[in-house]
Amino acid sequence: MWYVIQVQTGREEQIMEEAKCYQVQEYFDEIFAPHSERKKKYLGKWHLETELLFPGYLFVITSRPGELYQALKRIPRLTKLLGTGEKWTPMTKEDIEIVELLSGRERLVKFSKGYIQGDRVTVTSGPLKGLEGKISRIDRHKRLAWLKVELFGRTVELQAGLEIIRKE
């Protein structure tokens, strides 16, 4: 099952390392923070970089949630485990599907390409292909798309790299 851990933004990598130091890794199959490819222009050139897709959140896959829950208490500065009330709640099937669809096995949202025809966006390659209906806005200059997706029981806005190669 998949679960979400909320951590202090900017400490995602540190918390994953601390999970190893505090011997928590034996209780989970994988812990990760999905990233997204972006293009940024500096020094006159475009550079492909990665940024966190969900700043402040880690995803953990485990078949031993009770034991993992207890082991995670060893890690200082761990903000909280997402759930309802006092119970750590697993992600829904739909939530898992959207995270996997976007980030794949590499846990990285690759850069997408597409075009605009009239007021309609068509994505021709990349993980945003087929998700055009979820794109709420595009910044062609920064090569970014904002997507509105249902996640964690609420609407979340994500940013992903999208290059519009032509406008018709």
Side-chain angles (χ1 to χ4, degrees), residues 106-123:
E106 296 177 39
R107 309 302 184 206
L108 176 68
V109 180
K110 299 280 191 178
F111 201 77
S112 296
K113 291 186 178 182
Y115 63 91
I116 296 176
Q117 187 171 22
D119 61 350
R120 192 173 153 199
V121 176
T122 302
V123 180

Side-chain angles (χ1 to χ4, degrees), residues 104-166:
R105 288 297 313 144
E106 296 177 39
R107 309 302 184 206
L108 176 68
V109 180
K110 299 280 191 178
F111 201 77
S112 296
K113 291 186 178 182
Y115 63 91
I116 296 176
Q117 187 171 22
D119 61 350
R120 192 173 153 199
V121 176
T122 302
V123 180
T124 55
S125 66
L128 301 185
K129 187 174 182 177
L131 296 176
E132 292 88 348
K134 297 195 180 293
I135 296 174
S136 59
R137 66 183 172 116
I138 294 173
D139 185 329
R140 290 180 64 200
H141 178 72
K142 291 184 179 179
R143 299 177 179 178
L144 281 176
W146 282 260
L147 288 84
K148 286 191 177 180
V149 296
E150 285 295 318
L151 209 56
F152 317 129
R154 58 189 168 97
T155 302
V156 177
E157 193 168 60
L158 309 173
Q159 291 181 22
L162 173 65
E163 183 169 11
I164 300 298
I165 50 177
R166 72 178 187 275

